[in-house]
Amino acid sequence: MSLPHVIVLATGKGGAGKSTLARALAAHWLAARHKPALVDADPQASISSFHDPDGLMKAITLMADPEVATVRQTILDLSQGHRPVIVDTAGFRNQTTIMAAICADLILIPLKAAAEDFREAIAMYDLVQELNQTPEREGRPLSALMVLTMTTPGTVIARHVRKELETAGYPLLTAEVTQRVAYPELSMRGLSPSIVDPDGAAARDIAQLAAEITKRVGGAHVKAA
Ligand SMILES: Nc1ncnc2c1ncn2[C@@H]1O[C@H](COP(=O)(O)OP(=O)(O)OP(=O)(O)O)[C@@H](O)[C@H]1O
Ligand SMILES: [Mg+2]
């Protein structure tokens, strides 16, 4: 399968790792010589406020647009010259997120191994299935994939959450975003591991995740609506 064109990071749970992952994936695909763009659709503007237009990730086009009236056009405009367009959204449900989701190829739902994240990830997955019933998406359903973030490998809680989701048939990626200090350290400068330390462990995590996304996108392994 191919690299998705528009990827929207979304969950109604704040602090699940959306912005970190949006930036990390953009950095990965930049390093892999694709032409990613970022849309900061979060009114808190966390990606835009730390982005350094002269820094190592300056080749990534970044647009801040948290407005429900315009976000869709912003994404469509960027998708003319960029792939993937990665959209970061608010840490709570809002209309801008829904508007962005409607024009996505993939909704990526990050969750920590914790009860609130689990509940909100399922709510977001269910919302995607509702969007798939709308005329906008008829015949071309959105894909949704969940990904565990900030995990400590081998912990009981992470295994438990994975088992619960898999048993219930939710599409959870095998790759995880491990808890690593590199993410918060680099985010202060708007940077990400794949650019700063491409051979490091965090960059390897993200490369695995990106490869799995590319392989699974398109619906073949995604739970049907
Ligand atoms: N894999 C990771 N390892 C360590 N820290 C991480 C990891 N992912 C995210 N963090 C840290 O966790 C915090 C929350 O992450 P982030 O801001 O990406 O979440 P978010 O879902 O975008 O939050 P919000 O809903 O507020 O926008 C940040 O301080 C970030 O640096
Ligand atoms: Mg955020």
Side-chain angles (χ1 to χ4, degrees), residues 37-68:
L38 276 167
V39 176
D40 187 352
D42 179 358
Q44 289 189 317
S46 88
I47 289 196
S48 343
S49 46
F50 291 106
H51 183 69
D52 177 359
D54 300 317
L56 286 173
M57 285 172 58
K58 65 180 175 193
I60 295 175
T61 301
L62 168 66
M63 298 281 291
D65 188 353
E67 301 299 330
V68 65

Side-chain angles (χ1 to χ4, degrees), residues 59-192:
I60 295 175
T61 301
L62 168 66
M63 298 281 291
D65 188 353
E67 301 299 330
V68 65
T70 50
V71 72
R72 185 175 193 178
Q73 197 57 47
T74 298
I75 293 169
L76 293 176
D77 289 349
L78 278 172
S79 69
Q80 298 300 312
H82 297 84
R83 186 180 190 127
V85 177
I86 300 171
V87 185
D88 185 30
T89 63
F92 50 89
R93 278 183 238 177
N94 68 5
Q95 290 299 317
T96 301
T97 301
I98 292 174
M99 194 53 88
I102 286 172
C103 42
D105 295 299
L106 170 67
I107 310 293
L108 192 55
I109 307 172
L111 71 151
K112 300 197 299 290
E116 300 83 352
D117 289 59
F118 179 86
R119 194 180 52 203
E120 284 297 330
I122 289 174
M124 181 52 68
Y125 184 85
D126 291 344
L127 176 63
V128 172
Q129 304 321 309
E130 276 175 39
L131 293 177
N132 282 338
Q133 306 302 320
T134 61
E136 295 265 17
R137 296 300 308 203
E138 206 185 332
R140 44 182 203 107
L142 287 158
S143 297
L145 292 170
M146 297 181 182
V147 57
L148 279 168
T149 61
M150 298 179 237
T151 53
T152 306
T155 53
V156 173
I157 178 74
R159 277 207 305 275
H160 178 70
V161 169
R162 174 172 292 283
K163 194 164 168 233
E164 290 268 317
L165 288 172
E166 287 174 350
T167 305
Y170 290 101
L172 177 64
L173 290 166
T174 305
E176 295 180 4
V177 187
T178 308
Q179 173 87 23
R180 296 187 194 280
V181 75
Y183 295 105
E185 276 176 5
L186 292 174
S187 73
M188 304 291 287
R189 291 183 284 143
L191 293 173
S192 215

Side-chain angles (χ1 to χ4, degrees), residues 1-9 18 21-22 24-26 28-29 83-86 105-110 143-149 171-177 205-222:
M1 296 269 174
S2 60
L3 185 61
H5 207 143
V6 177
I7 302 173
V8 173
L9 280 287
K18 292 178 293 297
L21 190 49
L25 286 170
H28 168 80
W29 277 311
R83 186 180 190 127
V85 177
I86 300 171
D105 295 299
L106 170 67
I107 310 293
L108 192 55
I109 307 172
S143 297
L145 292 170
M146 297 181 182
V147 57
L148 279 168
T149 61
L172 177 64
L173 290 166
T174 305
E176 295 180 4
V177 187
D205 283 354
I206 298 299
Q208 268 188 16
L209 177 64
E212 197 182 352
I213 288 172
T214 305
K215 196 169 142 210
R216 288 181 59 157
V217 83
H221 297 81
V222 175

